[in-house]
Amino acid sequence: MIWITLGIILLTIIGLGLFGFSLYKKKLSQDIRQLKQLMERFTIRQQTLQTNIDHTTQRIDQIKGNINRITEEGNRVKQGASQLATEGRRLQEEIKRTAGIKQF
């Protein structure tokens, strides 16, 4: 008789454990589904942000290239202006010599 009682108690404990596990599994499956949805949304947002970052980086690189080109052009113009000023002084000296205002 005691063995039957212990068997019933043991089966009851196992049954309650299985029932609790099934309830937990049902609740857990909902949580996992919500987690998957959140991860999917996060992935979409991450991809959108990465696309924006890539576009911004590309624009920054393009602007840096434009700035470098403008700087190089400015340096070229500066050198040209310096050469033009030098040639102007040389031409002025040549004119003065040709006009006889200045001797060698």
Side-chain angles (χ1 to χ4, degrees), residues 13-64:
I13 291 173
I14 291 173
L16 285 174
L18 291 174
F19 181 69
F21 179 73
S22 68
L23 290 178
Y24 177 73
K25 185 178 175 185
K26 190 182 291 185
K27 172 69 174 138
L28 190 63
S29 69
Q30 290 174 355
D31 291 344
I32 289 174
R33 189 176 66 244
Q34 287 178 343
L35 183 63
K36 285 181 181 178
Q37 288 174 348
L38 289 173
M39 287 297 292
E40 189 174 319
R41 289 179 189 163
F42 175 76
T43 303
I44 291 170
R45 288 181 181 145
Q46 180 185 16
Q47 290 171 348
T48 304
L49 287 174
Q50 187 62 45
T51 302
N52 289 339
I53 288 170
D54 292 342
H55 177 71
T56 303
T57 303
Q58 183 181 12
R59 288 289 295 146
I60 288 171
D61 290 342
Q62 187 179 24
I63 290 170
K64 281 173 64 177

